[in-house]
Amino acid sequence: MKNIIPAFYKLSAAFTLLFMNTIAYAQIDIDIDLGNKQEWYENPKVWIGVAVFLVVLALIARGGKKVS
């Protein structure tokens, strides 16, 4: 019975090492380049448009309250 416990620890350590190795291998960066296509969030025109929209939205929200 005493020999089963160390064997269990060795087996669980081996499975843990195998599992951690699999996780580490899955972290490899795979870059799939489909040409020189630019993503929408990389376009500066989109960010300028979002900034203008937020400024207009803030002005509308601020101007809606009139206290007399």
Side-chain angles (χ1 to χ4, degrees):
M1 191 69 161
K2 290 184 179 181
N3 292 336
I4 294 174
I5 293 175
F8 174 73
Y9 287 139
K10 288 179 183 179
L11 186 62
S12 64
F15 279 126
T16 303
L17 184 63
L18 178 67
F19 180 69
M20 296 303 281
N21 190 19
T22 305
I23 290 175
Y25 184 71
Q27 298 294 326
I28 295 174
D29 185 27
I30 299 174
D31 186 24
I32 300 174
D33 190 17
L34 300 175
N36 288 332
K37 293 184 180 178
Q38 193 177 34
E39 296 290 335
W40 65 270
Y41 50 82
E42 294 174 343
N43 192 350
K45 293 178 185 176
V46 172
W47 289 106
I48 292 170
V50 168
V52 169
F53 174 75
L54 290 176
V55 168
V56 169
L57 188 66
L59 291 175
I60 290 172
R62 190 180 76 160
K65 295 182 180 180
K66 292 186 179 181
V67 178
S68 54

